[in-house]
Each structure stands twice: as structure tokens, then as C-alpha cells.
């Protein structure tokens, strides 16, 4: 291994935005010269000089950074909206369940009241039937008493006629 033999060094991939490989097309070494030293390491000074010398690339980098930040924020906002929607749906379901329970409770009270009213109705009907039966009995008694009173003077007259004869 001589001074000119660098085969032991691993070849480096050009790094893109924030060291993410795969974005080499955006940050091609053709746009800014980077000086290499043995084993493929980068000189920081050369990299900073290249950024400063290309304001268009720096502007592009900032735009990409903002776009990624907005995309991440939209993803967080979407997840937050989904969470809020899930909470709202759960709250609506709970409200609906409470409303259903209140309605069932009100229906149960109405059923109980209707049963009580039906019982009272049967009691009143029975009472009215008893009163009607008693009135009919009293009317029959009264008719019998009248009939017996009407027969009494006639009987007296008959008895007196029969007795005088």
C-alpha cells in the first residue's frame, strides 16, 4: 500500500439535503466544487464556500426545507384533525346514548303512569257497575213497595166489602 493507493477507503456517496442520500441530483458536485482529501472526507471550508458562492442553490435549499416543514406540519395537523374528529364522534355517541337513556326513562315513567291510569279506570268502571246494580235493586224495591201500597188500599177495600157482605 503506497501513498497513491486509496483502495482501502470506502467511496462516499454525494450527500443531499441535510445529509440525506438520494437527493444528489439537487446538490450535484458539478454546481459547487468540493475538494477531497484522502479517504473521501470533505473539507468543511470548501463546503461553506460552495454554499456562499451559489445563492440560487441556497434559496432552493431553504424552499425545500420550508416545503418539508409544511408537509410535516400538514401531517401533524391532519392527525390532530382526525383525533379531534374521533373525540367529537365519541362525544356525539355519548350524547346520543344519554339522550336515548333519558327517552327510555321517560317512556318507562309514561308506561307506569298508563298502567296506573288503566287500573284506576277498571276500579271506576267496577264502582260504576256496582252503583248501577244497587240503583236497579233500589228501583225494584221501590216499585215493589209502591205496588204493595197500591194493593193495600184495594185489599182493605176488598176486605171491607167482603166483610160487609
Amino acid at each position: 500500500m503506497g501513498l497513491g493507493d486509496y483502495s482501502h477507503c470506502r467511496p462516499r456517496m454525494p450527500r443531499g439535503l441535510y445529509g440525506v442520500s438520494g437527493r444528489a441530483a439537487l446538490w450535484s458536485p458539478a454546481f459547487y466544487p468540493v475538494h477531497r482529501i484522502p479517504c473521501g472526507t470533505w473539507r468543511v471550508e470548501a463546503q461553506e464556500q460552495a454554499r456562499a458562492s451559489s445563492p440560487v442553490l441556497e434559496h432552493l435549499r431553504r424552499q425545500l426545507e420550508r416545503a418539508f416543514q409544511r408537509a410535516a406540519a400538514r401531517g401533524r395537523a391532519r392527525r390532530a384533525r382526525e383525533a379531534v374528529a374521533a373525540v367529537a364522534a365519541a362525544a356525539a355517541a355519548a350524547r346520543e346514548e344519554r339522550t336515548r337513556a333519558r327517552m327510555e326513562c321517560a317512556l318507562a315513567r309514561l308506561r307506569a303512569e298508563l298502567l296506573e291510569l288503566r287500573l284506576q279506570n277498571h276500579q271506576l268502571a267496577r264502582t260504576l257497575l256496582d252503583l248501577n246494580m244497587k240503583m236497579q235493586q233500589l228501583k225494584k224495591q221501590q216499585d215493589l213497595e209502591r205496588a204493595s201500597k197500591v194493593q193495600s188500599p184495594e185489599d182493605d177495600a176488598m176486605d171491607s166489602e167482603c166483610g160487609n157482605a
Side-chain angles (χ1 to χ4, degrees):
M1 242 197 336
L3 286 176
D5 188 15
Y6 298 115
S7 62
H8 68 281
C9 293
R10 160 180 86 156
R12 294 222 180 229
M13 295 285 294
R15 309 287 281 180
L17 183 65
Y18 293 113
V20 177
S21 64
R23 303 223 193 291
L26 294 175
W27 298 97
S28 172
F31 287 113
Y32 56 93
V34 177
H35 304 287
R36 293 185 179 268
I37 59 173
C39 293
T41 57
W42 299 73
R43 278 194 197 161
V44 176
E45 301 90 30
Q47 202 174 18
E48 288 174 1
Q49 283 177 352
R51 276 197 190 139
S53 66
S54 180
V56 173
L57 288 177
E58 185 63 26
H59 177 70
L60 259 176
R61 185 192 63 77
R62 274 189 253 119
Q63 282 183 334
L64 282 172
E65 181 180 333
R66 278 190 236 120
F68 287 134
Q69 288 172 349
R70 281 193 302 267
R74 277 193 301 263
R76 285 190 302 268
R78 181 179 46 85
R79 286 189 299 274
R81 280 192 306 271
E82 288 171 355
V84 167
V87 168
R95 260 193 318 274
E96 184 177 322
E97 187 63 32
R98 284 193 304 268
T99 302
R100 185 178 298 124
R102 272 189 255 134
M103 288 173 54
E104 287 176 3
C105 183
L107 283 173
R109 280 185 297 208
L110 286 173
R111 284 186 189 111
E113 191 172 333
L114 281 173
L115 284 173
E116 184 179 333
L117 288 174
R118 184 181 294 164
L119 178 65
Q120 288 177 0
N121 188 21
H122 286 293
Q123 288 174 348
L124 285 174
R126 202 173 297 129
T127 304
L128 284 174
L129 286 174
D130 289 343
L131 286 173
N132 187 21
M133 195 166 42
K134 285 181 183 178
M135 284 174 46
Q136 287 177 358
Q137 286 175 351
L138 286 173
K139 189 175 183 182
K140 283 181 186 177
Q141 270 184 346
Q142 191 178 24
D143 287 342
L144 287 175
E145 285 178 8
R146 279 188 194 159
S148 68
K149 283 185 184 178
V150 168
Q151 286 180 2
S152 295
E154 289 177 6
D155 286 341
D156 289 340
M158 286 260 218
D159 286 337
S160 61
E161 286 179 9
C162 289
N164 289 338

